[in-house]
Amino acid sequence: NAGVTQTPKFRILKIGQSMTLQCTQDMNHNYMYWYRQDPGMGLKLIYYSVGAGITDKGEVPNGYNVSRSTTEDFPLRLELAAPSQTSVYFCASSSGRDRDYGYTFGSGTRLTVV
Amino acid sequence: GNSVTQMEGPVTLSEEAFLTINCTYTATGYPSLFWYVQYPGEGLQLLLKATKADDKGSNKGFEATYRKETTSFHLEKGSVQVSDSAVYFCALTRNSGGSNYKLTFGKGTLLTVNP
């Protein structure tokens, strides 16, 4: 049971480059989320999705885009990378019954923009 | 809006010491409360939860009691081990409309346990 899989684990980007962070879950969860974790700042929600074809902004969406064409996949796109996007990114999924089960998280992608 | 406040870290303890990490929250209605743990280089894992007032969540020797009167959910363990060294996050979830629940996290508390 793989759970939530994120790739890559590490990446260094130059300012202005673009990349896609991949996230796949095999639990048939409808809800998926992207968070960024900055040192001493906890986790901030970037985007989330309540099902295939439906996405919405979280607290810090600027500079990012998402799509949800299937239940399993929820990629996060960074266009024109900036140093402020240096962070650790976590993808998570849930069944929607979060009051009982909480979220399942991936192991994260550590991104450095130089 | 919803918010979670955790005690500032880092916290450094000796093995077998008693652990308390304070967590208080602000939310309307009746949120569910969680503690997540993040071991070095890994993602967050659910440690324990409580869904209503006076519930006690427990797992791996950790406990936390949902106190509505003090809006608190403090994490405790009677005897910590080196393997408990990690970052601990308090979180809450409320129905944000429809059937979608979104987690709100505290900033995290780094715990280091020395042998």
Side-chain angles (χ1 to χ4, degrees), chain A residues 31 33 37 98-100 103, chain B residues 34 36 49 51 99 101 103:
Chain A
Y31 301 96
Y33 310 84
Q37 182 182 30
D98 303 320
R99 292 181 67 86
D100 296 323
Y103 288 12
Chain B
F34 302 86
Y36 281 82
K49 64 173 175 67
T51 59
S99 60
Y101 296 83
L103 277 173

Side-chain angles (χ1 to χ4, degrees), chain A residues 37-101:
Chain A
Q37 182 182 30
D38 299 321
M41 298 300 292
L43 283 80
K44 299 289 186 182
L45 181 64
I46 305 172
Y47 271 96
Y48 67 98
S49 169
V50 302
I54 306 170
T55 63
D56 205 351
K57 297 177 180 179
E59 304 171 74
V60 289
N62 292 342
Y64 306 94
N65 279 299
V66 293
S67 59
R68 184 94 181 272
S69 57
T70 66
T71 298
E72 294 78 21
D73 300 309
F74 190 42
L76 178 70
R77 178 81 176 165
L78 278 71
E79 306 281 2
L80 300 175
S84 61
Q85 294 178 305
T86 294
S87 188
V88 181
Y89 292 84
F90 288 101
C91 180
S93 72
S94 74
S95 63
R97 296 179 58 188
D98 303 320
R99 292 181 67 86
D100 296 323
Y101 300 114

Side-chain angles (χ1 to χ4, degrees), chain B residues 19 47-48 57-64 75-77 84 88:
Chain B
L19 168 70
L47 179 60
L48 55 84
S58 61
N59 186 25
K60 300 182 180 179
F62 291 89
E63 295 183 337
L75 182 67
E76 296 182 336
K77 187 174 185 181
D84 294 327
Y88 292 82

Side-chain angles (χ1 to χ4, degrees), chain B residues 24-98:
Chain B
T24 58
Y25 68 90
T26 301
T28 56
Y30 302 95
S32 287
L33 302 173
F34 302 86
W35 278 100
Y36 281 82
V37 58
Q38 183 182 28
Y39 297 105
E42 298 183 11
L44 279 71
Q45 304 174 25
L46 179 63
L47 179 60
L48 55 84
K49 64 173 175 67
T51 59
K52 62 182 187 295
D54 299 325
D55 267 2
K56 178 185 284 187
S58 61
N59 186 25
K60 300 182 180 179
F62 291 89
E63 295 183 337
T65 301
Y66 188 144
R67 301 288 188 199
K68 188 165 177 63
E69 64 276 13
T70 55
T71 61
S72 65
F73 193 55
H74 305 321
L75 182 67
E76 296 182 336
K77 187 174 185 181
S79 176
V80 294
Q81 306 299 313
V82 172
S83 57
D84 294 327
S85 298
V87 180
Y88 292 82
F89 291 91
C90 187
L92 68 82
T93 185
R94 280 279 298 148
N95 188 345
S96 61

